[in-house]
Amino acid sequence: MRYFIGNWKMFGVPKSVNILNKINSYYSRDKNRNKYRVVITPPYTLIESYSRHFKNKRVTIGAQNCYQKEHFSSNTAAISPYMLKSVGANYTLVGHSDNRGEGDTDPMLKDKVRYAIKNNLKVVFCIGENKIEKKNKKTLSVLKKQLTRVLEKKFDKNKLIIAYEPIWSIGTGKIPLAKELKKTTIYIKKILKEIFKKDSPPVLYGGSVDGSNVEMFKEIKEIDGFLIGGASKTSKKFIDIIKNYYR
Ligand code: 13P
């Protein structure tokens, strides 16, 4: 199974559903449709209405983050995994570099992953090195820490997806060299196999993926799909990624 996950970040109002309607109608008719899943993570404000709208359609709705407590609490503006599930979200991102940059720590991320899984959300756990770490050849050690400090063997592996997003690649048009990315993805899967003592969960790539570079990524068989930012905000760009992946 491959995944095409569109992360809208701070984008979208109710009428933006038109973008997803177009994606959904392509997806419903695509002869390759059973080989992949399309998940979109709109902002919190749209999760309930979009989840209802796509309930019996193919596109799946998720959240971009969740709070590190399970049900209700007195944390202003916080949204728990239970609350997300109750309005129809089926997935949530956890650990996006935007949120790590705003103060999400490993212990917080561990609780987010734990409570999201407990509430039957699929977790897309994001990891990635920054530019300086890459320059200092620290990529693999950074990724190992990000994985081992948060993930535990007892977490349900079937509810986890890992997204490798090098921070220097997000929104910059810069992408890793194929050789390097293959090596990194294999390494991530090796660490995951050590944690879970069996198969690795799927590993996605994210960072400046678009319709023209996806052909390069598809040569790397270890990559199970993509986390897509900018190109998920227009139906044509998003559909082009899927089309060119299966061409
Ligand atoms: P871009 O595709 O815009 O580089 O964003 C990637 C990302 O951060 C998705 O979560």
Side-chain angles (χ1 to χ4, degrees):
M1 183 56 63
R2 295 291 193 238
Y3 294 87
F4 296 88
I5 303 184
N7 175 16
W8 274 11
K9 309 187 185 182
M10 197 175 85
F11 168 83
V13 288
K15 69 177 180 197
S16 316
V17 76
N18 292 328
I19 299 166
L20 299 189
N21 286 335
K22 288 184 192 138
I23 293 172
N24 187 72
S25 86
Y26 174 81
Y27 184 20
S28 319
R29 288 186 222 128
D30 184 5
K31 64 175 188 317
N32 292 308
R33 64 185 175 273
N34 293 326
K35 296 183 185 158
Y36 64 92
R37 215 156 266 161
V38 171
V39 180
I40 303 289
T41 64
Y44 287 133
T45 47
L46 300 172
I47 291 175
E48 181 171 18
S49 62
Y50 284 16
S51 294
R52 198 177 296 132
H53 181 77
F54 287 105
K55 196 169 175 26
N56 298 312
K57 300 189 172 76
R58 290 195 69 98
V59 165
T60 302
I61 300 298
Q64 297 172 15
N65 198 358
C66 64
Y67 197 69
Q68 58 273 16
K69 289 185 184 171
E70 193 179 349
H71 290 119
F72 298 143
S73 71
S74 54
N75 300 88
T76 301
I79 314 272
S80 69
Y82 169 76
M83 291 156 77
L84 293 173
K85 188 70 193 180
S86 77
V87 291
N90 283 310
Y91 284 71
T92 186
L93 309 183
V94 168
H96 192 283
S97 57
D98 289 342
N99 308 116
R100 289 178 187 262
E102 287 160 355
D104 274 13
T105 61
D106 292 327
M108 284 157 69
L109 297 176
K110 194 190 263 288
D111 282 338
K112 288 175 191 239
V113 174
R114 184 200 325 272
Y115 293 131
I117 291 177
K118 207 169 159 197
N119 282 277
N120 216 12
L121 292 165
K122 260 206 170 192
V123 171
V124 182
F125 181 60
C126 306
I127 56 172
E129 83 284 5
N130 66 28
K131 200 166 133 184
I132 296 165
E133 290 159 344
K134 177 179 161 57
K135 187 168 162 272
N136 295 333
K137 305 209 180 324
K138 294 272 184 273
T139 299
L140 301 186
S141 64
V142 166
L143 298 176
K144 182 175 184 177
K145 272 186 205 147
Q146 290 175 334
L147 291 168
T148 55
R149 286 181 181 173
V150 173
L151 301 181
E152 291 182 26
K153 182 176 180 288
K154 66 175 187 224
F155 292 168
D156 182 356
K157 181 186 74 73
N158 299 318
K159 289 236 152 341
L160 261 176
I161 295 172
I162 308 305
Y164 169 54
E165 297 204 298
I167 299 170
W168 52 269
S169 172
I170 297 175
T172 58
K174 295 197 178 93
I175 54 169
L177 297 170
K179 205 176 114 211
E180 219 171 335
L181 182 57
K182 187 176 171 80
K183 194 180 110 198
T184 308
T185 311
I186 290 172
Y187 180 78
I188 292 169
K189 289 197 162 175
K190 175 177 143 322
I191 300 294
L192 289 166
K193 278 182 209 153
E194 285 170 14
I195 296 172
F196 293 104
K197 310 280 182 245
K198 47 182 171 188
D199 302 343
S200 161
V203 176
L204 317 184
Y205 169 77
S208 296
V209 176
D210 64 27
S212 51
N213 61 27
V214 73
E215 310 231 14
M216 181 283 268
F217 294 116
K218 84 175 171 197
E219 302 303 326
I220 308 173
K221 299 289 173 247
E222 289 81 7
I223 295 179
D224 300 296
F226 304 96
L227 183 53
I228 301 152
S232 69
K233 296 185 281 187
T234 30
S235 53
K236 184 180 179 317
K237 285 186 182 171
F238 193 79
I239 293 167
D240 276 351
I241 293 174
I242 300 174
K243 268 189 194 160
N244 291 342
Y245 187 82
Y246 287 105
R247 194 154 60 183

